[in-house]
Amino acid sequence: MNQHATKAKAFIQDEARTNWHDEALWFIRAKRDQATALVAEWEALRELASGIKDHVLGNLDQYLEQFSERAIANGVQVHWARDAREHNQIVLGILQQTNATRLVKSKSMLTEECGLSDYLVENGVSVVDTDLGERIIQLREEPPSHIVLPAIHLKKEEVGELFHEHLGTPAGLSDPTQLTEAARHHLRDHLVGCDAALTGVNFAIAETGGVVVCTNEGNADMGVHSAPVQIHCMGIEKIIPRAQDLGIFIRVLARSATGQPSTVYTAHHHRPRPGTQMHIVIVDNGRTEQLGRPDFRNSLKCIRCGACMNTCPIYRRSGGHSYGTTVPGPIGSILTPGFDLKQHADLPFASTLCGSCSDVCPVKINIHEQLYQWRQAVVEAGLADPAKVQTLNLSGAILAKPWWYRITGRLARLALRWAPRWLVYNRWNTWGQDRELPPAPRESFQDWYRKKHKA
Amino acid sequence: MRVALFIPCYIDQFYPQVGRATLALLERLGCEVVYPLGQTCCGQPMANAGCERDALQTYHHFVKTFSDFPYIVSPSGSCVYHVRQHYDVIDQTAVVQAIRARTLELSEFLIDVLGIQAIPGARYPHRVGIHASCHGLRGLRLGPSSELRGSQPPSGIHRLLEQVADIEIVTLDRSDECCGFGGTFAVSEASVSVKMGADRLADHLRNGVEVVTASDMSCLMHLEGIIRRRNYPLRVAHYAEILNTTGV
Ligand code: SF4
């Protein structure tokens, strides 16, 4: 079943809201356009960022070892997790060893991917997300709909209602500044009393053994600075070789994400403060498998800026939840089939292959070409709709034989011209539900040409 | 100049006037145009739907049909892109390589090979919105993509249309957003597809366009389907039809 199409159809039912969602994301894309237009060497930066990431993926084993050695030398405790389960167990283990029961967590798509929060809560840990957007969706008990703007699908009035219910703000309050202020007070209580703080990682520097976390609200840093235990969880692909490479990525990341020159906070964490612990959990969870697929390996270059979502005309009109994945949108549709092709076989088809994602991507991932390749993989694996495959099978046979092609074309046009409207626009005619079929001329170009040249 | 004309299957069947306009235009510019009779399709409909394997026989048929020509010209950026980009899966014989290199979208041929900057005599007194079809734009780089930075000249199609007498080219709010056709996407994701098309048309309507043109008739087939269903005051025309007008 095509889950994306079904959910997208439901999303579009509310046309005003769809338009609002499209405009909200297009606004961010426009800010990205303005910000990048001010950087004369933008395309050169993309090229460099892409090249560095390619190089890292080709030498990942060495860089990971170097990174972990340096981090350990800095007094950091490094853990390796093969999959989501191991990752969750490691984090729980750290918390149990340090008697931590109150964890503050800052935006990490990896922990979403691993389902960490639910796991910790089941094991008696209180988990509070400290990014405003993350906190909003945590209170709503739903997954993020975007990797940078997790609550972008919600209107300020809905946030107002939510805060009224959970934080006791006055009913009907929807002023963003006042709502943010209320959230700040609410979060501050959690930040001050926490036992441990966990963050994601934007970049891990092999040369220094340090991790870099880019945020706009600073709550990630506040958590790390107030907790006796800090934990940073990263996928193996977060590595960059040298500190000096960071300049390139910092310059492209925030501009691509929101049109800011850089994020408000760029925190570098290298070693624990005296008397505290610092842990880094390095996670594979299917990444080495993806690395081993030549057509798809460079999807691991992604720096999670979200630009491909903002630009995607389908994402903007179907919403992040329609993808049913942790990472939605174009990049999600090439990453997630690698985890479970059967479950996500519809995603490579949730695209027109327009290529906007590939052109906007700051690390030049050929997203739309990989979508094309995943489509082939889906059909090869026998996971496509059999009726569709049979139709295309037949089309392939017809189109390879000029004579068949001419006859079939002629019959189809004849049928279209003479069949009554109710028959043509039946309920199986998906094209015709909201569109007219093309005109069916008496004569094809080829018929006309043959006649003309006989004469 | 001797050229082979490739008229993609859906143009052949549904929009023969676009084939005739392309042929007439090339002849008007002094080309000796051959239309190989056995031609069918480039194979894209199957391949884009994941059935590349079913497309292979069509690829071979295309190669066989067009192996003898210095240039293969087509009024479809999407099909040309498919030949150039995706015929990499068949044996790369000298013939296949030559075909991939010399299959050109109409405007590429007019500008890069013939060196033409304007079509003498063309006249089109209408307000025209140019829909930048994605495969031509981001696949063949026929024009500037709004995502890329640095200087990018206007598309050749835009430059040629600009020279047509009495035409008015309308600037759109979103210069290169996809129309939502996308081959089988138009059917498998019909809701999103139609919404995308309607949004594109709203942009043209808002800006007072009379005629929507493009380098791909497939985009226009989809847009026209919505126009006719909703009775929008818009028409579609392939840019070859506009260039092939007379009247000056
Ligand atoms: S694929 Fe590229 S554009 Fe999309 S989130 Fe990753 S880095 Fe950003």
Side-chain angles (χ1 to χ4, degrees):
Chain A
M1 195 185 78
N2 193 332
Q3 303 163 55
H4 182 269
T6 309
K7 289 190 196 152
K9 187 174 179 184
F11 187 85
I12 288 176
Q13 292 296 313
D14 188 343
E15 183 154 21
R17 197 188 179 92
T18 307
N19 292 343
W20 165 79
H21 190 261
D22 167 61
E23 290 289 346
L25 287 152
W26 185 257
F27 176 73
I28 299 163
R29 156 82 208 268
K31 288 212 300 187
R32 172 264 174 209
D33 287 352
Q34 285 162 12
T36 55
L38 296 174
V39 181
E41 66 275 33
W42 181 255
E43 295 304 330
L45 281 179
R46 285 178 74 221
E47 192 62 46
L48 277 171
S50 164
I52 292 169
K53 282 283 181 179
D54 273 332
H55 167 77
V56 168
L57 292 179
N59 300 275
L60 197 52
D61 51 340
Q62 289 163 34
Y63 281 125
L64 279 167
E65 266 174 35
Q66 186 190 5
F67 171 76
S68 118
E69 270 166 31
R70 300 283 155 91
I72 291 168
N74 291 340
V76 175
Q77 301 181 43
V78 175
H79 313 258
W80 301 85
R82 181 165 301 138
D83 53 25
R85 207 173 55 105
E86 275 189 24
H87 162 265
N88 293 349
Q89 286 168 347
I90 288 167
V91 174
L92 181 65
I94 297 168
L95 296 176
Q96 285 172 340
Q97 260 170 30
T98 52
N99 293 319
T101 57
R102 287 164 303 174
L103 177 76
V104 290
K105 179 166 138 318
S106 182
K107 197 160 58 196
S108 155
M109 292 313 295
L110 175 64
T111 54
E112 283 289 334
E113 173 187 320
C114 295
L116 177 70
S117 291
D118 287 346
Y119 176 81
L120 291 180
V121 170
E122 277 162 29
N123 283 281
V125 178
S126 108
V127 181
V128 173
D129 275 301
T130 61
D131 289 289
L132 179 56
E134 290 286 327
R135 185 61 182 151
I136 290 170
I137 58 161
Q138 189 183 30
L139 291 174
R140 281 177 62 98
E141 298 180 21
E142 65 183 6
S145 69
H146 187 290
I147 59 173
V148 174
L149 312 153
I152 188 71
H153 58 291
L154 296 173
K155 296 193 171 187
K156 57 183 194 293
E157 291 77 17
E158 290 164 300
V159 176
E161 265 169 49
L162 183 78
F163 280 13
H164 172 62
E165 188 186 324
H166 291 272
L167 312 186
T169 53
L173 179 72
S174 66
D175 174 59
T177 317
Q178 290 180 28
L179 290 175
T180 311
E181 193 53 32
R184 192 168 287 147
H185 285 292
H186 158 76
L187 286 170
R188 197 132 306 182
D189 297 340
H190 289 286
L191 284 162
V192 169
C194 70
D195 304 319
L198 183 149
T199 80
V201 169
N202 288 95
F203 305 101
I205 307 167
E207 173 190 60
T208 67
V211 296
V212 178
V213 183
C214 306
T215 66
N216 272 335
E217 295 165 25
N219 288 345
D221 305 338
M222 203 182 295
V224 167
H225 293 154
S226 50
V229 178
Q230 69 187 90
I231 307 169
H232 305 281
C233 299
M234 56 175 269
I236 53 171
E237 81 284 11
K238 293 291 168 194
I239 294 278
I240 59 171
R242 303 165 302 184
Q244 72 179 80
D245 303 324
L246 197 58
I248 293 160
F249 291 99
I250 296 294
R251 290 187 76 196
V252 295
L253 176 62
R255 284 185 173 87
S256 297
T258 55
Q260 295 165 270
S262 74
T263 42
V264 177
Y265 299 93
T266 303
H268 299 243
H269 302 289
H270 278 86
R271 51 186 61 78
R273 301 185 313 281
T276 70
Q277 293 185 13
M278 175 170 165
H279 298 262
I280 295 177
V281 188
I282 304 173
V283 186
D284 182 340
N285 204 32
R287 287 163 176 73
T288 44
E289 229 177 296
Q290 186 84 333
L291 194 63
R293 301 180 177 115
D295 286 339
F296 305 115
R297 64 177 287 165
N298 91 23
S299 59
L300 294 171
K301 294 196 296 189
C302 176
I303 58 171
R304 300 290 192 272
C305 72
C308 57
M309 282 149 227
N310 307 340
T311 204
C312 178
I314 289 126
Y315 174 91
R316 278 188 264 112
R317 289 174 183 82
S318 61
H321 290 152
S322 65
Y323 294 82
T325 53
T326 306
V327 178
I331 179 65
S333 297
I334 59 172
L335 285 173
T336 326
F339 286 112
D340 186 344
L341 188 59
K342 189 162 180 221
Q343 172 73 22
H344 301 290
D346 59 329
L347 293 184
F349 297 91
S351 163
T352 55
L353 308 181
C354 78
S356 181
C357 47
S358 304
D359 275 1
V360 92
C361 177
V363 287
K364 300 185 88 164
I365 300 173
N366 56 339
I367 304 173
H368 71 295
E369 287 169 16
Q370 294 190 36
L371 287 167
Y372 177 91
Q373 292 302 343
W374 273 121
R375 291 180 183 192
Q376 313 306 329
V378 168
V379 173
E380 286 290 306
L383 296 171
D385 172 12
K388 182 184 103 172
V389 174
Q390 272 167 23
T391 311
L392 290 160
N393 232 293
L394 187 64
S395 310
I398 291 171
L399 288 167
K401 306 262 181 318
W403 189 79
W404 281 24
Y405 161 74
R406 286 184 61 213
I407 295 288
T408 319
R410 195 170 297 168
L411 288 175
R413 276 182 288 111
L414 199 69
L416 280 178
R417 265 209 318 284
W418 292 105
R421 191 173 168 86
W422 62 264
L423 186 63
V424 175
Y425 289 89
N426 62 46
R427 66 195 176 90
W428 292 284
N429 177 355
T430 318
W431 174 282
Q433 233 111 68
D434 295 303
R435 271 168 301 207
E436 293 296 300
L437 287 161
R442 189 175 303 272
E443 211 173 41
S444 71
F445 173 80
Q446 182 154 160
D447 295 340
W448 169 84
Y449 188 90
R450 279 175 190 269
K451 243 204 253 162
K452 183 180 135 191
H453 282 256
K454 232 188 257 157
Chain B
M1 174 98 52
R2 187 163 173 267
V3 297
L5 181 62
F6 168 48
I7 298 299
C9 51
Y10 64 96
I11 295 184
D12 178 40
Q13 296 295 330
F14 298 124
Y15 297 99
Q17 72 276 19
V18 175
R20 292 200 295 269
T22 310
L23 174 63
L25 182 66
L26 289 168
E27 285 180 341
R28 179 170 157 186
L29 294 168
C31 297
E32 183 200 327
V33 187
V34 182
Y35 172 80
L37 282 173
Q39 63 179 278
T40 57
C41 169
C42 66
Q44 178 174 210
M46 287 78 76
N48 272 11
C51 298
E52 197 171 54
R53 200 185 278 187
D54 294 316
L56 294 178
Q57 35 184 345
T58 311
Y59 294 180
H60 289 295
H61 179 69
F62 184 95
V63 170
K64 206 171 78 199
T65 311
F66 289 101
S67 56
D68 281 340
F69 301 93
Y71 291 104
I72 300 137
V73 179
S74 180
S76 165
S78 189
C79 302
V80 169
Y81 172 67
H82 194 75
V83 172
R84 296 232 286 259
Q85 171 82 11
H86 290 298
Y87 277 30
D88 61 340
V89 292
I90 54 176
D91 203 9
Q92 295 300 294
T93 60
V95 176
V96 171
Q97 285 180 26
I99 283 188
R100 289 179 68 197
R102 297 211 194 111
T103 300
L104 302 182
E105 192 276 332
L106 177 64
S107 70
E108 292 181 302
F109 179 73
L110 296 180
I111 293 171
D112 301 340
V113 180
L114 296 185
I116 278 171
Q117 268 143 36
I119 311 297
R123 175 169 179 267
Y124 200 70
H126 297 288
R127 287 174 61 83
V128 173
I130 303 177
H131 172 69
S133 300
C134 300
H135 286 173
L137 189 77
R138 300 195 190 81
L140 298 177
R141 300 285 175 209
L142 295 183
S145 36
S146 62
E147 298 86 9
L148 299 182
R149 292 289 161 261
S151 77
Q152 302 177 81
S155 74
I157 295 165
H158 193 283
R159 280 179 282 148
L160 288 171
L161 286 174
E162 236 169 20
Q163 299 303 317
V164 171
D166 300 333
I167 198 170
E168 197 181 330
I169 296 179
V170 175
T171 305
L172 301 166
D173 298 341
R174 297 188 188 178
S175 64
D176 58 5
E177 179 143 294
C178 176
C179 69
F181 171 65
T184 49
F185 179 87
V187 174
S188 64
E189 291 259 9
S191 306
V192 188
S193 171
V194 169
K195 175 67 180 142
M196 286 166 72
D199 286 357
R200 273 301 64 235
L201 292 170
D203 193 348
H204 288 265
L205 284 169
R206 221 175 16 248
N207 290 291
V209 167
E210 287 172 68
V211 181
V212 182
T213 194
S215 63
D216 262 300
M217 214 52 219
S218 48
C219 308
L220 294 179
M221 173 170 80
H222 162 68
L223 293 174
E224 187 187 37
I226 301 169
I227 290 172
R228 283 171 50 214
R229 176 62 60 89
R230 302 192 182 189
N231 288 315
Y232 285 158
L234 284 169
R235 279 184 290 137
V236 302
H238 191 279
Y239 79 87
E241 295 177 271
I242 299 179
L243 293 182
N244 191 45
T245 51
T246 52
V248 175

Short mmCIF file of all heavy atoms in Angstrom, two decimals, chain A residues 147 301-309 331 357 360-363 365 367, ligand 1:
data_model
loop_
_atom_site.label_atom_id
_atom_site.label_comp_id
_atom_site.label_asym_id
_atom_site.label_seq_id
_atom_site.Cartn_x
_atom_site.Cartn_y
_atom_site.Cartn_z
N ILE A 147 13.43 17.93 10.49
CA ILE A 147 14.61 17.65 11.31
C ILE A 147 15.19 18.89 11.97
O ILE A 147 15.89 18.80 12.97
CB ILE A 147 15.70 16.90 10.52
CG1 ILE A 147 16.16 17.71 9.31
CG2 ILE A 147 15.23 15.52 10.10
CD1 ILE A 147 17.35 17.11 8.59
N LYS A 301 26.64 11.67 3.62
CA LYS A 301 27.29 12.99 3.73
C LYS A 301 26.39 14.00 4.43
O LYS A 301 26.83 15.07 4.81
CB LYS A 301 27.63 13.52 2.33
CG LYS A 301 28.68 12.72 1.60
CD LYS A 301 29.26 13.48 0.40
CE LYS A 301 28.22 13.76 -0.66
NZ LYS A 301 28.81 14.30 -1.91
N CYS A 302 25.13 13.66 4.54
CA CYS A 302 24.12 14.62 5.04
C CYS A 302 24.51 15.28 6.35
O CYS A 302 24.93 14.61 7.29
CB CYS A 302 22.79 13.88 5.22
SG CYS A 302 21.51 14.90 5.92
N ILE A 303 24.38 16.60 6.41
CA ILE A 303 24.65 17.32 7.66
C ILE A 303 23.35 17.79 8.33
O ILE A 303 23.35 18.66 9.18
CB ILE A 303 25.61 18.52 7.45
CG1 ILE A 303 25.05 19.50 6.41
CG2 ILE A 303 27.01 18.03 7.07
CD1 ILE A 303 25.84 20.81 6.31
N ARG A 304 22.23 17.23 7.90
CA ARG A 304 20.93 17.46 8.55
C ARG A 304 20.55 18.95 8.63
O ARG A 304 20.13 19.43 9.68
CB ARG A 304 20.95 16.87 9.97
CG ARG A 304 21.21 15.38 10.04
CD ARG A 304 20.03 14.58 9.50
NE ARG A 304 20.15 13.17 9.83
CZ ARG A 304 20.78 12.25 9.09
NH1 ARG A 304 21.38 12.61 7.95
NH2 ARG A 304 20.82 10.99 9.47
N CYS A 305 20.68 19.63 7.50
CA CYS A 305 20.31 21.05 7.50
C CYS A 305 18.83 21.24 7.22
O CYS A 305 18.26 22.29 7.49
CB CYS A 305 21.14 21.80 6.46
SG CYS A 305 20.65 21.43 4.76
N GLY A 306 18.20 20.25 6.62
CA GLY A 306 16.76 20.35 6.35
C GLY A 306 16.41 21.10 5.08
O GLY A 306 15.22 21.23 4.74
N ALA A 307 17.40 21.60 4.35
CA ALA A 307 17.09 22.41 3.16
C ALA A 307 16.33 21.62 2.10
O ALA A 307 15.46 22.16 1.41
CB ALA A 307 18.38 22.98 2.57
N CYS A 308 16.64 20.32 2.00
CA CYS A 308 15.94 19.53 0.97
C CYS A 308 14.47 19.37 1.31
O CYS A 308 13.64 19.19 0.42
CB CYS A 308 16.63 18.18 0.76
SG CYS A 308 16.78 17.16 2.23
N MET A 309 14.13 19.45 2.59
CA MET A 309 12.71 19.40 2.97
C MET A 309 12.03 20.71 2.60
O MET A 309 10.95 20.73 2.02
CB MET A 309 12.58 19.17 4.47
CG MET A 309 12.82 17.74 4.86
SD MET A 309 13.53 17.58 6.49
CE MET A 309 14.82 16.41 6.09
N ILE A 331 15.78 13.49 1.76
CA ILE A 331 16.91 12.72 2.31
C ILE A 331 16.41 11.49 3.06
O ILE A 331 16.99 10.41 2.97
CB ILE A 331 17.84 13.60 3.19
CG1 ILE A 331 19.01 12.80 3.77
CG2 ILE A 331 17.09 14.28 4.32
CD1 ILE A 331 19.98 12.28 2.77
N CYS A 357 16.11 19.21 -4.61
CA CYS A 357 16.82 18.79 -3.40
C CYS A 357 18.33 18.69 -3.64
O CYS A 357 19.13 19.13 -2.84
CB CYS A 357 16.27 17.46 -2.89
SG CYS A 357 16.07 16.19 -4.16
N VAL A 360 19.93 22.13 -3.89
CA VAL A 360 19.93 22.94 -2.68
C VAL A 360 20.89 22.35 -1.65
O VAL A 360 21.38 23.05 -0.77
CB VAL A 360 18.49 23.06 -2.12
CG1 VAL A 360 18.18 21.97 -1.10
CG2 VAL A 360 18.23 24.43 -1.52
N CYS A 361 21.18 21.09 -1.76
CA CYS A 361 21.95 20.38 -0.72
C CYS A 361 23.36 20.94 -0.58
O CYS A 361 24.12 20.96 -1.54
CB CYS A 361 22.01 18.88 -1.05
SG CYS A 361 23.02 17.96 0.13
N PRO A 362 23.73 21.37 0.62
CA PRO A 362 25.05 21.99 0.81
C PRO A 362 26.21 21.01 0.67
O PRO A 362 27.35 21.45 0.50
CB PRO A 362 24.98 22.56 2.23
CG PRO A 362 23.95 21.74 2.91
CD PRO A 362 22.94 21.39 1.86
N VAL A 363 25.93 19.72 0.75
CA VAL A 363 27.01 18.75 0.56
C VAL A 363 26.82 17.96 -0.74
O VAL A 363 27.42 16.90 -0.94
CB VAL A 363 27.17 17.80 1.77
CG1 VAL A 363 27.79 18.53 2.95
CG2 VAL A 363 25.84 17.20 2.18
N ILE A 365 24.58 16.06 -2.23
CA ILE A 365 24.12 14.68 -2.36
C ILE A 365 23.18 14.62 -3.57
O ILE A 365 22.30 15.47 -3.70
CB ILE A 365 23.38 14.22 -1.08
CG1 ILE A 365 24.33 14.32 0.12
CG2 ILE A 365 22.85 12.79 -1.24
CD1 ILE A 365 23.67 14.06 1.46
N ILE A 367 20.48 13.51 -4.48
CA ILE A 367 19.30 12.88 -3.88
C ILE A 367 18.34 12.31 -4.94
O ILE A 367 17.90 11.17 -4.85
CB ILE A 367 18.55 13.87 -2.97
CG1 ILE A 367 19.50 14.42 -1.90
CG2 ILE A 367 17.34 13.20 -2.31
CD1 ILE A 367 18.91 15.53 -1.05
S1 SF4 C 1 20.46 15.87 2.30
FE1 SF4 C 1 21.54 17.78 2.02
S2 SF4 C 1 19.90 19.32 2.03
FE2 SF4 C 1 19.00 17.45 2.89
S3 SF4 C 1 19.26 17.67 5.09
FE3 SF4 C 1 21.03 16.54 4.34
S4 SF4 C 1 22.59 18.09 3.97
FE4 SF4 C 1 20.65 19.17 4.14
#
